[in-house]
Amino acid sequence: MTENIDDSNDKLITETGVSYRDRVSNIDTSGKRIWIYPTKPSGRFHRARLFVGFSLLAVFFILPFIKYKGQPYFLIDVIDRKFILFGSIWFPHDFYIFAIGFLSFAVFVVLFTAIFGRIFCGWACPQTIFMELVFRKIEYFIEGNANKQKSLAKSPWNLSKTLRKMIKHLFFIAIAFIVNSVLLSYILSIDGVYNMLFVNPSGYLAGIVALSVVSLAMYINYSWFREQACTFVCPYGRLQSVLLDKNSIIVAYDDKRGEPRGKVKGEKRKKSSESENHNSQLTINNSEKGDCIDCGACVRVCPTGIDIRNGLQLECVNCTACIDACDSIMDSINKPRGLIKYSSISNIENRQKFRFTPRLAFYSIILVALLSVFFIFLISRSPVEATILRAKGSTFFINEKGNVVNIYTVKLINKSFDNMDIKFVTEDFSGKFKIIGKDKLVVKAEEMLEGTFLLEIPRKELKSSKNKIKILLFNGKDKVDSEKTIFSGPGI
Ligand code: SF4
Ligand code: SF4
């Protein structure tokens, strides 16, 4: 893990005229990685991001500890194919609902990105939250701000440097292990992870090895790989070029206001100068200049090492650090904030307000249609899934009372946390049911039960040799499901 410290980094990035599109911001002309030392961000957007990020982290860490009816409130148990989402249990049979849900989510991402650009990356992406709000904060705390980090990296190895680096990396390893243990508890439950780590570790050696490998990968990601995950690996970042258009909201530099950029020297001299001639000369110079004083603060603070003044770039993760940095510069030179801001290219170029384009309308219609189907499925989902079929090879028979009898097999899946005592009722016939081999059909919570029953219907109620019937399933007074089937008889 070597840190290629390139003193020309700032210059390369800030220098106007560098062909920034010919190279990635964190790779130098010889192909070596340039280690990025972003300055500690501060400002209103950073405070808002801290609030959002830590709220999301709180949810992430607390959710596995919440239980409902003795079960985890949220569990994605891919091993046993059991999923508990906010207290509601789901099985692989419900995957058609998941499929529609995922499809809706994908369309939502497309629509959201087309309107709001990469807001997700800056505010809610786990990579950015952990990198900027957890690991980077620890780094600032132990190694200091960007300049101190640079000098530490350049300084020879001594006791102080060794200790600082060791403590930082130990913290990184510990956090990676804790985060992955919590992540694993979404699969095994928090009790499962506790059992694996503290009660019976020897019984879960494979699990512990897997957890350690994933934690190591996370540690390498946050200690070394860093912004490259966003610039080289993340597919969502790559999709931006097709999803964004001139109307999309992005973190943008207002070049109409900022250019031509230049140092603020002239203005300072203008204020202090007593010479009328000199004053008028400088007034002309300043009136030709834009609001950007070319201070480079927006570049120094950028965690992906880009210069937002070059326009929209794939590397920009919308972290807003450059907005805060530039706002504070604007405050200090008494200019209005917002030289770098959330805006669209249309707004900056033509001062055009947001337009709901036909493309957005198309995405919205598809999203509404998918969400409607998703919610219909969700609302109509019953706590019991029943499959009722005529018993294989069976036919009807007439019993001693002269009623017609059919034999059925039933398969019941209880998708709730409570046992269910299932009773059958026919909707349009005065049918009588008899369970074979059991008094009752009691399906235990989260379990499946198979059985056979006889259904007897008075012959006079039957209208043909194949009668469509609907069987209602009740648990106590609650109707939990219904199934349609065929009742065969002798005909009229
Ligand atoms: S350009 Fe600005 S918003 Fe984009 S990554 Fe850099 S600092 Fe963050
Ligand atoms: S922080 Fe603002 S003023 Fe300074 S270089 Fe960036 S855009 Fe220009």
Side-chain angles (χ1 to χ4, degrees):
M1 287 184 214
T2 54
E3 297 174 8
N4 173 26
I5 305 149
D6 187 342
D7 280 339
S8 62
N9 182 14
D10 291 345
K11 187 168 176 286
L12 272 169
I13 300 164
T14 56
E15 191 179 282
T16 315
V18 166
S19 180
Y20 66 94
R21 294 216 190 271
D22 291 346
R23 65 178 192 88
V24 185
S25 56
N26 54 358
I27 295 178
D28 69 13
T29 40
S30 66
K32 273 191 185 165
R33 179 176 178 189
I34 299 170
W35 193 268
I36 293 169
Y37 295 93
T39 307
K40 215 190 267 186
S42 62
R44 60 195 168 127
F45 280 101
H46 185 64
R47 282 194 297 278
R49 280 183 64 228
L50 283 176
F51 176 75
V52 173
F54 282 114
S55 304
L56 291 172
L57 285 176
V59 171
F60 171 74
F61 282 106
I62 292 170
L63 203 52
F65 290 91
I66 302 176
K67 290 197 174 176
Y68 175 70
K69 294 189 176 179
Q71 298 276 344
Y73 191 59
F74 201 94
L75 188 79
I76 314 274
D77 184 353
V78 281
I79 301 161
D80 290 334
R81 295 185 294 163
K82 178 175 135 187
F83 309 93
I84 304 172
L85 307 180
F86 306 104
S88 162
I89 189 157
W90 299 71
F91 289 95
H93 319 82
D94 298 311
F95 258 72
Y96 64 98
I97 304 181
F98 274 101
I100 304 277
F102 278 125
L103 218 55
S104 313
F105 180 71
V107 177
F108 168 76
V109 168
V110 170
L111 178 66
F112 186 85
T113 310
I115 298 175
F116 297 107
R118 289 180 79 167
I119 276 190
F120 169 81
C121 300
W123 293 77
C125 172
Q127 171 73 17
T128 316
I129 290 181
F130 278 114
M131 183 69 249
E132 302 306 327
L133 306 187
V134 179
F135 289 93
R136 189 95 69 190
K137 293 279 176 214
I138 292 171
E139 196 164 68
Y140 286 135
F141 183 72
I142 296 173
E143 296 187 359
N145 208 343
N147 285 336
K148 285 195 175 164
Q149 287 180 25
K150 273 188 212 173
S151 350
L152 186 71
K154 275 194 254 176
S155 70
W157 283 95
N158 53 27
L159 185 65
S160 157
K161 179 171 173 172
T162 312
L163 272 178
R164 276 169 198 268
K165 293 278 178 194
M166 221 171 67
I167 292 170
K168 181 183 90 171
H169 287 284
L170 281 177
F171 262 111
F172 280 14
I173 291 168
I175 289 171
F177 193 79
I178 292 168
V179 169
N180 279 293
S181 303
V182 174
L183 202 57
L184 190 61
S185 68
Y186 280 87
I187 299 171
L188 300 183
S189 82
I190 200 74
D191 296 338
V193 173
Y194 181 82
N195 194 32
M196 181 180 97
L197 293 177
F198 304 109
V199 181
N200 182 21
S202 56
Y204 292 94
L205 278 182
I208 292 174
V209 170
L211 176 61
S212 308
V213 170
V214 178
S215 304
L216 182 69
M218 186 181 189
Y219 159 70
I220 292 172
N221 177 27
Y222 290 111
S223 62
W224 174 75
F225 200 62
R226 300 194 160 191
E227 76 287 347
Q228 297 179 112
C230 307
T231 52
F232 300 158
V233 180
C234 177
Y236 182 60
R238 304 262 145 187
L239 273 178
Q240 304 309 306
S241 46
V242 280
L243 295 180
L244 299 185
D245 62 18
K246 285 191 166 190
N247 274 303
S248 308
I249 307 287
I250 52 170
V251 172
Y253 165 67
D254 188 345
D255 60 331
K256 293 271 182 279
R257 186 186 141 190
E259 300 296 317
R261 67 188 75 162
K263 297 285 177 200
V264 79
K265 255 190 202 162
E267 281 194 25
K268 277 184 183 161
R269 265 189 280 150
K270 186 183 92 179
K271 279 176 198 161
S272 60
S273 173
E274 298 296 320
S275 153
E276 209 173 285
N277 286 342
H278 190 55
N279 243 348
S280 62
Q281 179 62 43
L282 286 167
T283 307
I284 291 163
N285 284 343
N286 283 313
S287 68
E288 284 166 0
K289 276 188 183 168
D291 282 355
C292 174
I293 58 168
D294 207 11
C295 63
C298 52
V299 182
R300 284 192 295 278
V301 85
C302 178
T304 62
I306 58 168
D307 184 345
I308 193 65
R309 293 172 300 168
N310 288 328
L312 177 63
Q313 290 149 81
L314 181 146
E315 294 96 324
C316 175
V317 291
N318 268 227
C319 73
T320 68
C322 55
I323 302 183
D324 279 333
C326 189
D327 278 353
S328 79
I329 297 294
M330 291 298 112
D331 288 349
S332 69
I333 59 167
N334 290 322
K335 292 269 167 78
R337 290 177 168 189
L339 180 56
I340 301 176
K341 57 186 174 181
Y342 273 125
S343 188
S344 69
I345 294 174
S346 305
N347 182 273
I348 285 176
E349 281 178 354
N350 312 314
R351 300 295 173 215
Q352 219 173 51
K353 291 246 181 294
F354 172 75
R355 279 186 318 122
F356 200 72
T357 58
R359 182 168 82 111
L360 297 182
F362 176 70
Y363 292 155
S364 307
I365 290 167
I366 294 183
L367 182 62
V368 170
L370 281 170
L371 282 177
S372 309
V373 175
F374 176 70
F375 282 111
I376 288 169
F377 279 152
L378 205 62
I379 292 162
S380 58
R381 178 181 179 264
S382 58
V384 166
E385 188 171 302
T387 313
I388 297 175
L389 297 169
R390 296 267 313 280
K392 250 188 196 169
S394 70
T395 181
F396 71 89
F397 63 89
I398 314 279
N399 67 7
E400 66 286 355
K401 292 183 222 157
N403 293 336
V404 183
V405 180
N406 278 209
I407 310 171
Y408 293 90
T409 59
V410 61
K411 187 169 152 188
L412 297 163
I413 299 167
N414 185 346
K415 299 192 240 172
S416 77
F417 297 124
D418 304 306
N419 294 346
M420 289 196 189
D421 184 359
I422 299 294
K423 300 261 180 332
F424 299 117
V425 175
T426 42
E427 194 174 57
D428 299 318
F429 300 89
S430 50
K432 279 190 188 156
F433 291 87
K434 176 157 178 36
I435 314 291
I436 297 176
K438 299 182 179 109
D439 295 337
K440 306 170 165 195
L441 273 181
V442 178
V443 205
K444 289 192 179 147
E446 305 170 47
E447 286 192 8
M448 189 193 80
L449 182 78
E450 286 181 318
T452 309
F453 65 85
L454 303 176
L455 172 58
E456 173 187 336
I457 294 179
R459 187 171 178 173
K460 60 178 190 263
E461 292 183 23
L462 301 175
K463 301 194 174 57
S464 73
S465 59
K466 293 214 180 302
N467 302 275
K468 286 182 184 165
I469 60 164
K470 191 171 181 186
I471 299 175
L472 311 178
L473 286 82
F474 282 84
N475 173 40
K477 286 182 184 161
D478 302 328
K479 184 183 151 223
V480 287
D481 201 8
S482 66
E483 270 289 283
K484 284 181 183 159
T485 185
I486 296 289
F487 188 92
S488 63
I492 304 168

